[in-house]
Structure formats: C-alpha cells, structure tokens
Amino acid sequence: QLQASGGGLVQAGGSLRLSCAASGFTFDDYAVHWVRQAPGKEREGLSCISSSDGSKYYADSVKGRFTISRDNAKNSVALQMNSLRPEDTAVYYCALSSYCLGYEDLYEYDYWGRGTLVTVSS
C-alpha cells in the first residue's frame, strides 16, 4: 500500500511537506514520482527521484520551489513545497516505477498511492 499525506490549506507563499509512505513492501529498488492533478486539468508530472543514484528531476513549474527526498530506512519519500502559489492547488499523488523519465508522468506505475489535497489560497 502506498499513501500520500501532508496536504492541507495554505496561503500563497506558504509551505507544505508531503510524505509518501509504503507499507507491506520496501521501495528501495523503485523510483518515486510525484504527480498532481488540478480540477479540470490534465495530470502533471512534477518530480522523480531515482532508486539507483538518487538523481532528482523537477518540472519547470516547481523547480526551485519543491524539493524531493527519500529515506529508504523509513520507507518514505518527502516533497517539500515552498513558495506555494494558487496554481499549485491540486490533488498530489506519489507513485513507484522502476525508472524516472526525467520528471515526466509515466501514466503506468507499479504502485499508485491515494492522493492528498493541497489548496493554496490567494
């Protein structure tokens, strides 16, 4: 099971830290993706961290504001989100696959977690 958490309501310019936790399996061998979907919009790949060397990839829309990190010992990945904007409002999902394709959404994953809602007010 994969679960994203940490969402909530925040004012523009604020910060949130999302967590993605796995239970029932270890994700050391998986790349971890963060993907979001805003109401009425297509799904958007945001970030990916590889399993092999910890390489990190970010979409231009979040580069410099969001930071992905992983703690294999805790079987978790975090997405630190700073300088949030109203356009960051979306449901955020974490997902696992065997590789990163940069920050791109792969659309098919080995594991897909329940999302967490982030709402940024102006």
Side-chain angles (χ1 to χ4, degrees), residues 15-55:
S15 298
L16 283 173
R17 185 176 180 87
L18 305 185
S19 293
C20 176
S23 60
F25 65 97
T26 58
F27 64 29
D28 300 34
D29 294 330
Y30 292 97
V32 183
H33 303 251
W34 284 98
V35 176
R36 71 184 178 189
Q37 187 159 26
K41 295 188 177 181
E42 291 188 358
R43 212 164 75 183
E44 177 186 12
L46 298 178
S47 184
C48 184
I49 184 166
S50 72
S51 61
S52 55
D53 60 3
S55 294

Side-chain angles (χ1 to χ4, degrees), residues 5 7 17-18 23 29-31 33 35 38 49 55 64 79 82 87 90 95-96 105 110 113 116 118 121-122:
S5 62
R17 185 176 180 87
L18 305 185
S23 60
D29 294 330
Y30 292 97
H33 303 251
V35 176
I49 184 166
S55 294
L79 186 69
N82 299 328
E87 55 263 39
L96 307 185
D105 185 352
D110 296 298
T116 187
V118 172
S121 63
S122 57

Side-chain angles (χ1 to χ4, degrees), residues 8-121:
L9 174 63
V10 63
Q11 288 189 329
S15 298
L16 283 173
R17 185 176 180 87
L18 305 185
S19 293
C20 176
S23 60
F25 65 97
T26 58
F27 64 29
D28 300 34
D29 294 330
Y30 292 97
V32 183
H33 303 251
W34 284 98
V35 176
R36 71 184 178 189
Q37 187 159 26
K41 295 188 177 181
E42 291 188 358
R43 212 164 75 183
E44 177 186 12
L46 298 178
S47 184
C48 184
I49 184 166
S50 72
S51 61
S52 55
D53 60 3
S55 294
K56 303 174 184 180
Y57 305 92
Y58 299 96
D60 287 345
S61 59
V62 303
K63 194 175 295 182
R65 301 188 298 125
F66 291 10
T67 302
I68 192 171
S69 60
R70 68 188 298 159
D71 186 339
N72 288 339
K74 295 184 178 180
N75 227 26
S76 67
V77 165
L79 186 69
Q80 177 66 40
M81 307 189 298
N82 299 328
S83 303
L84 284 163
R85 305 166 180 168
E87 55 263 39
D88 293 319
T89 295
V91 178
Y92 286 68
Y93 301 89
C94 59
L96 307 185
S97 72
S98 58
Y99 64 97
C100 294
L101 188 63
Y103 63 85
E104 299 286 349
D105 185 352
L106 300 183
Y107 291 97
E108 290 188 3
Y109 296 91
D110 296 298
Y111 293 94
W112 179 262
R114 184 178 300 178
T116 187
L117 175 63
V118 172
T119 304
V120 185
S121 63

